[in-house]
Amino acid sequence: MLLSQGYGFMEFKSSSDAAEAMKLIDGSVLDSHALQVKSSDKRLTTVSSKTAGTASSSRGNNCKLIVRNVAFQASKQELAALFSAFDSLKRVRLPKQIGGEHRGFAFVEFNSSQEAQVAKESLKSLHLYGRHLVVEWAKEEDEQAELGAVEGLC
């Protein structure tokens, strides 16, 4: 059974798109609950390219993130959709247990370390299915210990 925290967030490219969606969704019923839609001025924060370059230089050319605390209801497609907001998404891997269920973490790889840094900073306070996603830099040890695989970071 999925438990809802009773709220959600949507972001639109334009304020006119947001206004139209608000008109359509406000008052509609979902799972026997009337939806209330309100506008928010908060946006995902992104780091400037200058800051991203400085931060990523301390991480070398690492373009891979590990995402921990992934809810078991979450799918690879949902994670890919979430991280594809950052243009240079290369690959999402959601390691599975022997029984087929994923293990509660994922690896997200970008084409550049700068894009990985922007994604890491932008999504650091994101919740998915009521769980706070912990987004960190992946290390080779993460993959070796948790997957039994050895491969480069980029």
Side-chain angles (χ1 to χ4, degrees):
M1 178 177 188
L2 297 177
L3 296 178
S4 171
Q5 290 190 348
Y7 62 90
F9 297 93
M10 296 169 57
E11 190 169 343
F12 295 90
K13 290 185 179 184
S14 70
S15 57
S16 62
D17 288 346
E20 186 176 334
M22 287 175 63
K23 286 179 194 173
L24 288 172
I25 298 170
D26 192 38
S28 62
V29 177
L30 177 67
D31 292 335
S32 305
H33 293 84
L35 299 179
Q36 295 179 355
V37 181
K38 298 176 184 176
S39 180
S40 171
D41 291 334
K42 291 187 178 184
R43 301 185 191 286
L44 290 175
T45 56
T46 58
V47 294
S48 67
S49 57
K50 181 179 176 184
T51 306
T54 304
S56 64
S57 64
S58 66
R59 294 296 311 166
N61 287 329
N62 191 351
C63 52
K64 190 178 291 185
L65 302 172
I66 185 167
V67 183
R68 300 182 196 275
N69 203 30
V70 176
F72 291 110
Q73 309 87 298
S75 69
K76 180 179 178 179
Q77 292 78 15
E78 289 172 315
L79 288 172
L82 181 67
F83 283 91
S84 67
F86 306 94
D87 294 332
S88 66
L89 181 65
K90 185 175 181 180
R91 178 170 61 158
V92 174
R93 287 191 304 123
L94 196 58
K96 297 194 182 289
Q97 298 176 21
I98 293 173
E101 190 173 68
H102 72 77
R103 297 175 63 186
F105 64 92
F107 291 99
V108 179
E109 190 173 357
F110 291 88
N111 289 319
S112 74
S113 59
Q114 291 82 12
E115 283 295 321
Q117 175 68 29
V118 170
K120 181 181 177 294
E121 288 300 313
S122 297
L123 300 176
K124 66 184 175 188
S125 59
L126 183 75
H127 287 74
L128 181 64
Y129 288 107
R131 297 185 71 161
H132 176 250
L133 295 182
V134 179
V135 182
E136 301 171 333
W137 291 108
K139 301 177 214 136
E140 280 190 54
E141 303 88 57
D142 290 332
E143 288 208 48
Q144 291 172 8
E146 297 183 61
L147 293 176
V150 178
E151 67 178 62
L153 291 174
C154 283

